[in-house]
Each structure stands twice: as C-alpha cells, then as structure tokens.
Amino acid sequence: QVGLVESGGGLVQAGGSLRLSCAASGTFFSINNMGWYRQAPGKQRELVAAISSGGSTNYADSVKGRFTISRDNAKNTVYLQMNSLKPEDTAVYYCNARAIAIATRRDLELWGQGTLVTVSS
C-alpha cells in the first residue's frame, strides 16, 4: 500500500511560522515531483510550491520569499517551511507526489489527506 502522510498543520498568529511534513509510505521505483497545494474555503485548490527529484523548485507568486519547499530523497519526505504567515494563507494544505510504481512501472499520482493551517490576525 502506498500513500502520503502529512503532519505539521495548526493554528498560528499572523507573522508566525509553521513547518509541514509529508512522508511517502510504501515502495516505489522512483518518486519524481513532489509539491504542496492548498484549498481555502470557497476557492479552488491551487499550487503553493513544487520540487523536482533534482531539487528544482517553483512557487506561487503569493508565497515567494516567505515559503520554502525542500525534500529528503532518502526519507521520501517533502517539507514546507512557512514564514511570515498571513491570514490569507489559511487553508487546507495537501501534499502531492508523482511516482512510478515498482511492480508495474506505471505512473502514480498520490495525495495526502490534507492538514489545516489557520492563521489568525
């Protein structure tokens, strides 16, 4: 069984920091891009940040300079360090990974269960 397990959400005051973690469980031939999405109430899910297996990153304009995505390939884990949080960052954050199944070599797209981040003003 393969999947993504997230942790690290919670309640924080504006200007504060949180770190999200997401670990891929199971065995894979490879894990390629990993990323974080978020969905605020009444809004569509949007990409926050993504990182390739080689470490290339891209960010939504709204979080550039405040959030940092990183990964530990040995642990199949991706992190999102969120600094200078704003009330508009309040959302459910979802981890995403694109991987290759070890047995079938088929493409997999995995999603975490979501973790709530609430930023109070």
Side-chain angles (χ1 to χ4, degrees), residues 1-4 23-31 73-76 98-108 110:
Q1 193 76 3
V2 297
L4 300 176
S25 62
T27 304
F28 304 89
F29 178 75
S30 65
I31 299 178
N73 290 332
K75 296 181 180 179
N76 288 342
R98 294 184 181 271
I100 305 294
I102 192 167
T104 64
R105 298 294 195 266
R106 296 180 69 174
D107 291 337
L108 300 173
L110 306 175

Side-chain angles (χ1 to χ4, degrees), residues 3-6 20-26 28 30-37 47-59 68-80 94-100 108-112:
L4 300 176
V5 180
E6 303 165 3
L20 305 182
S21 299
C22 171
S25 62
F28 304 89
S30 65
I31 299 178
N32 302 321
N33 286 359
M34 301 184 80
W36 291 93
Y37 289 71
L47 175 68
V48 176
I51 185 167
S52 70
S53 57
S56 298
T57 59
N58 65 284
Y59 296 91
T68 302
I69 190 170
S70 60
R71 65 190 284 173
D72 184 334
N73 290 332
K75 296 181 180 179
N76 288 342
T77 300
V78 63
Y79 306 96
L80 186 67
Y94 296 91
C95 178
N96 173 269
R98 294 184 181 271
I100 305 294
L108 300 173
E109 182 172 23
L110 306 175
W111 288 95

Side-chain angles (χ1 to χ4, degrees), residues 79-121:
Y79 306 96
L80 186 67
Q81 178 67 43
M82 304 184 292
N83 298 329
S84 302
L85 282 160
K86 305 175 180 180
E88 51 264 43
D89 294 317
T90 295
V92 177
Y93 284 70
Y94 296 91
C95 178
N96 173 269
R98 294 184 181 271
I100 305 294
I102 192 167
T104 64
R105 298 294 195 266
R106 296 180 69 174
D107 291 337
L108 300 173
E109 182 172 23
L110 306 175
W111 288 95
Q113 79 280 7
T115 185
L116 178 62
V117 172
T118 303
V119 184
S120 63
S121 56

